[in-house]
Amino acid sequence: MSSSVAHVLAEVADHFGNLHSSEFRGQTRVVVPESQSLEVCSFLKEQGFDFLVDVSCVDYLEYRDPPMQMRSCAGRRYGLMYLLASTMTNRRLTVRVFLDDPEPTVRSVVPLWEAANWLEREVWDLFGIQFVGHPDLRRLVMPEEFSAHPLRKDYPLQGRGERHNFPVITRENS
Amino acid sequence: MAVITGSGKLELPENVVVSRLDALANWCRKNSLWPMPFATACCGIELMATGAAKHDLARFGAEVFRFSPRQCDLMIVAGRVVMKMLPVLQRIWQQMHEPKWCISMGACASTGGVFDTYAVVQGVDRFIPVDMYVPGCPPRPEQLIQAIIDLQDKIQREGTISGREFDTAARQLRKRALVEITAPLSIDASRNPVLQRELAAEALSGRS
């Protein structure tokens, strides 16, 4: 773990208690409870993480070998991740927030990083995670009338007939 | 001025050809196809290559790609169509004026290809009428050119409404000129009832 990131994690621990963190091939991850996610992100932004690279999610439903951070979160289903970077010091940090059914909900980080706007819309669209405080939480990639969240593992790969639900245009009526 | 002689024969001056108006209209249509390139994936790259200098679709009178459906009469669906795109595809098809034709180019446009997922339409022929299917992933420009030649043939016969246009198996086999030059193609009709019928009909009429 690079010393500067370790320093930031120590600062986080001072403010928010001891959070679970781990390192893999030089990349540092820290697991944050959903109740503190906005506060921790805000604190990390003050510590220099001014750039939000990505917001993404993993559905760990029936996942065979859950990662270590996940075991510490009592087998929750959704693993949200925020990839942060500092443009000043070139440090990188992954923040993970684990959520669970029936209504996975987390605070939006749009007030901190404007870049989160479409990223959180995509996660809402594909995983159905609600971002409280998002200014415009609409679907991003799927059509508006789509009702499911297709990257959830319990959604069938070939869909539930949405792709065949269109009017047929024949020679006679075109 | 045409003259009917005493024996009842029609005599025409030079430079006059008699034809049916249908045949003349079809001849004009087939040699002046204006494609609408609905290119969504790698098939679109081959579509561009078909129109470019090397393969030169202008040889077949179909080089004028237009991006307004009002100016086109041949839609070439090149690439996978996702369910969010399909209403757009249908709208563009409806905005094209009659007479119009459609080529489904490549595995994805014809069947969904390897993309058997919730988002991808499993063949555009489920939702719009298709006249020609081009296999391949993606098809080579020669294949698309062959499809356009076959479509021209179909337009000349104008079978698009009655559905007779699908009796083309023997005709298409004979047309595989490039294959026949490099490797003589022995046509095995024993396993193809459509082909058997065509060959039998040809033998009866003595055309071959």
Side-chain angles (χ1 to χ4, degrees):
Chain A
M1 193 180 296
S2 66
S3 59
S4 55
V5 176
H7 175 70
V8 170
L9 283 182
E11 292 272 330
V12 169
D14 279 352
H15 282 76
F16 300 97
N18 207 11
L19 302 175
H20 185 276
S21 66
S22 62
E23 191 192 346
F24 181 73
R25 292 186 182 169
Q27 299 182 342
T28 310
R29 293 167 294 196
V30 57
V31 179
V32 178
E34 70 214 70
S35 55
Q36 288 182 305
S37 64
L38 188 62
E39 287 77 10
V40 173
C41 286
S42 179
F43 181 77
L44 287 170
K45 189 184 179 185
E46 287 167 18
Q47 297 295 311
F49 289 97
D50 52 349
F51 185 60
L52 180 68
V53 179
D54 201 3
V55 177
S56 188
C57 187
V58 179
D59 183 357
Y60 288 107
L61 185 71
E62 296 173 23
Y63 196 73
R64 261 187 262 167
D65 186 21
M68 190 60 81
Q69 327 91 294
M70 202 182 148
R71 273 177 226 142
S72 66
C73 280
R76 292 187 170 192
R77 179 172 172 184
Y78 303 100
L80 201 60
M81 70 192 73
Y82 300 84
L83 308 183
L84 307 181
S86 164
T87 55
M88 307 301 288
T89 60
N90 203 21
R91 291 173 299 180
R92 283 170 186 271
L93 184 64
T94 303
V95 175
R96 302 222 56 181
V97 180
F98 287 91
L99 307 170
D100 208 356
D101 281 334
E103 284 193 357
T105 307
V106 71
R107 305 265 296 280
S108 170
V109 296
V110 174
L112 301 177
W113 297 285
E114 196 59 44
N117 192 320
W118 279 28
L119 299 173
E120 289 184 344
R121 278 178 64 187
E122 186 183 12
V123 172
W124 154 250
D125 189 357
L126 299 173
F127 290 94
I129 288 173
Q130 302 206 26
F131 292 91
V132 176
H134 191 286
D136 183 25
L137 197 62
R138 285 178 295 133
R139 287 184 176 276
L140 184 68
V141 289
M142 298 307 290
E144 273 177 40
E145 65 273 14
F146 205 80
S147 58
H149 300 290
L151 284 195
R152 289 188 174 187
K153 290 298 180 192
D154 52 1
Y155 181 81
L157 174 64
Q158 292 162 354
R160 299 199 176 106
E162 295 94 341
R163 64 184 181 178
H164 297 145
N165 190 20
F166 294 100
V168 177
I169 297 178
T170 62
R171 277 284 170 197
E172 285 69 37
N173 64 13
S174 65
Chain B
M1 188 64 79
V3 176
I4 300 179
T5 62
S7 60
K9 273 179 79 175
L10 183 69
E11 281 191 3
L12 294 172
E14 286 181 34
N15 305 329
V16 175
V17 175
V18 178
S19 174
R20 285 178 297 123
L21 199 56
D22 273 356
L24 181 66
N26 290 339
W27 180 72
C28 295
R29 286 171 180 169
K30 77 170 186 181
N31 289 305
S32 169
L33 290 170
W34 289 46
M36 164 85 224
F38 198 91
T40 53
C42 45
C43 283
I45 306 297
E46 296 297 298
L47 180 62
M48 292 174 222
T50 312
K54 179 163 180 173
H55 296 281
D56 194 8
L57 206 52
R59 295 178 294 157
F60 307 96
E63 80 279 18
V64 191
F65 287 82
R66 279 289 180 272
F67 300 94
S68 162
R70 301 288 187 205
Q71 301 175 339
C72 299
D73 54 9
L74 170 61
M75 172 177 270
I76 301 180
V77 184
R80 67 195 87 91
V81 177
V82 294
M83 56 172 290
K84 201 174 177 181
M85 184 63 100
L86 190 79
V88 181
L89 175 73
Q90 287 186 323
R91 194 180 183 95
I92 290 176
W93 173 255
Q94 286 181 319
Q95 284 175 340
M96 288 168 62
H97 289 299
E98 294 280 2
K100 58 190 176 186
W101 299 275
C102 178
I103 289 179
S104 170
M105 178 182 180
C108 295
S110 303
T111 67
V114 296
F115 303 99
D116 190 7
T117 69
Y118 58 90
V120 180
V121 173
Q122 302 296 295
V124 294
D125 58 345
R126 289 168 182 263
F127 302 111
I128 63 168
V130 170
D131 295 285
M132 283 285 160
Y133 301 85
V134 188
C137 185
R140 280 194 60 83
E142 291 91 324
Q143 286 172 271
L144 184 62
I145 289 172
Q146 182 68 57
I148 286 173
I149 294 172
D150 289 345
L151 184 68
Q152 287 177 335
D153 199 38
K154 181 172 171 175
I155 292 168
Q156 182 65 59
R157 293 183 296 123
E158 194 55 283
T160 49
I161 293 174
S162 70
R164 278 181 295 110
E165 65 270 23
F166 296 109
D167 292 340
T168 55
R171 187 181 288 266
Q172 288 186 357
L173 273 177
R174 273 204 313 278
K175 275 190 183 167
R176 299 290 181 257
L178 284 174
V179 180
E180 283 170 5
I181 287 168
T182 52
L185 183 69
S186 61
I187 300 174
D188 180 16
S190 64
R191 297 165 76 180
N192 189 337
V194 179
L195 189 52
Q196 282 170 16
R197 271 204 306 279
E198 288 253 349
L199 292 173
E202 278 192 11
L204 269 182
S205 61
R207 271 183 293 153
S208 58

